[in-house]
Amino acid sequence: MNPEKVRVRFAPSPTGPLHLGGVRTALYNYLFARKHGGDFILRIEDTDRQRFVNGAEQYIIESLNWCGIHFDEDVVKGGPYSPYRQSDRSSLYKHHIGLLLNSGHAYYAFDSAAELEEKRKQGHTSGMDQFQYNFKTRMLMKNSLSLPEQEVRNRIARGEAYVVRIRIPEEEVVVFNDIIRGEITVHTGTLDDKVLFKSDGLPTYHLANVVDDYLMKISHVIRGEEWLPSAPMHLLLYRFFGWEENMPKFAHLPLILKPEGNGKLSKRDGDRLGFPVFPLAWTDPVTGDISHGYREDGYLPEAFINILALLGWNPGTEKELFSMEELIQSFSIERVGKHGSKFDPEKAKWFNHQYLIHQPDNELLRIMKNYLTQRDISALDDYVLRVVHLTKERANLTGDLWSNSWFFFQAPLSFDEKAKNKIWQPTTGEIVREFATEIKLSVDFNKDVLHVIATNFTERKQIKLGQLLTPLRLLIVGSNQGPGIMDVAEILGKQEFLSRIETGLSKMGEC
Ligand code: GLU
């Protein structure tokens, strides 16, 4: 295998729906792989069975698929380093924890959860530093370093529950280079003896992650900043296994921040401010709670990806709209900033608007037909095309395509009260009726003809154009919103136009 070959991975834990920060991590890995002609791998890190959530793995795969982020090796299509789901690789981790135990870099620990909790409480009440299982405390605990060898053997033979912890050296300095953050120096004395292997016979994230990155020949680890504190321990593991030469390069991505900028963007922020933080809608399998998703809320995947790409990466130019191909060309990990980027929900809508208005009308037709089918409305393609062409400019979300144009497909059942009170005068009904009579007599029916007739009519009546058009709009559309009423009329056609006026007038009690 070519040691220079770029191989990156996205390694989610199926503990719930994928946060948009997770999608961004996957995206940056994907862009990096594609840019460098490398491989992109999906590895499911599901060894924490307590946090495992049913359906999360499928959700992650479907989300990335929707985003257009595709893998070269994954749990579905497999690959040269199969299996790609950690729960299917347990014998590998058992073997590797054995190596660390033999070399003295790891040890058995028998302390029960209750005993550890007690220690934590003691630390808390005595005002001492928070309890850490480390070089200072490990000899006071029940483990294979503090207990006689025979007792350790007996406990294991009796089937007593144990975990395996890493033995962090007391006084060493770990130095490594993070592509985004530069040189990072950590004294091992500040690290604790984390659990590598649990009593359920499965590894923790740390062991499985390092073993797999090595075995899968990962060249670069690009992941969220929350993993930065774990990196020094991971480096020690590479050293303990004797894999330092093949250690991947690290890049820890900055956080995506709340719109106000204070802290990490959370689902609560989305709920509070009315925007989704997940790519797809998600139904919690336990509580049944439904969370919004960008797809269902009417975002196009291209827009969603574009939004995420710019949350942390700076192209170095003013350009804001990037297709996936352009992102692949322009992306560089060196241009990812150290500092978090604020998520701006309004800007997200702006991106989607840009993508919507630049969609070919045929694509908008496809989207619009979904809304029509859901409502059992049938309409000719040509008609729908004219509607979307006229209304797309006002759409931010795909749902706006429908909400801005529903009146092309059904007559209003009622009229906006506020608008009606403002617009409707005692003479209005008569004005509209007379105008309708003139339209009836006209041979041609299009917006230009309508405009000429309306202008002549209002001049003759010595009223303002608005005194005719605003009430007309109310009758045709049901409110004083929407595109130019002459455009609406032209698409509706003469018959429907006149029939709405007639029905509208009778609803207004004007006949
Ligand atoms: N399983 C970890 C997560 O869910 C992966 C972190 C990493 O990429 O190393 O974030």
Side-chain angles (χ1 to χ4, degrees), residues 379-395:
L380 293 176
D381 282 2
D382 271 355
Y383 182 81
V384 183
L385 272 174
R386 290 174 73 195
V387 172
V388 288
H389 190 78
L390 178 68
T391 53
K392 67 180 179 184
E393 272 301 328
R394 291 158 186 264

Side-chain angles (χ1 to χ4, degrees), residues 412-463:
L413 293 174
S414 59
F415 304 107
D416 182 302
E417 272 304 308
K418 235 166 108 192
K420 185 175 134 189
N421 293 339
K422 208 163 119 200
I423 293 165
W424 213 261
Q425 306 291 329
T427 54
T428 306
E430 192 47 40
I431 293 172
V432 173
R433 196 184 327 274
E434 269 188 52
F435 176 71
T437 310
E438 289 199 17
I439 296 295
K440 241 180 250 165
L441 298 173
S442 151
V443 179
D444 291 328
F445 186 87
N446 60 49
K447 65 179 181 190
D448 298 327
V449 168
L450 282 168
H451 192 74
V452 173
I453 300 176
T455 314
N456 289 342
F457 177 83
T458 49
E459 273 173 12
R460 235 184 308 124
K461 293 272 166 202
Q462 297 193 327
I463 56 171

Side-chain angles (χ1 to χ4, degrees), residues 9 11-13 45 205 209 213 221-223 226-227:
R9 77 322 188 256
S13 299
E45 301 206 326
Y205 153 75
N209 185 270
D213 281 347
V221 167
I222 304 171
R223 63 184 172 193
E226 64 272 30
W227 298 108

Side-chain angles (χ1 to χ4, degrees), residues 106-124:
Y107 59 92
Y108 296 100
F110 302 96
D111 319 271
S112 69
E115 284 162 345
L116 290 171
E117 186 49 34
E118 186 53 32
K119 283 279 172 204
R120 275 186 211 110
K121 267 203 213 129
Q122 277 172 15
H124 192 70

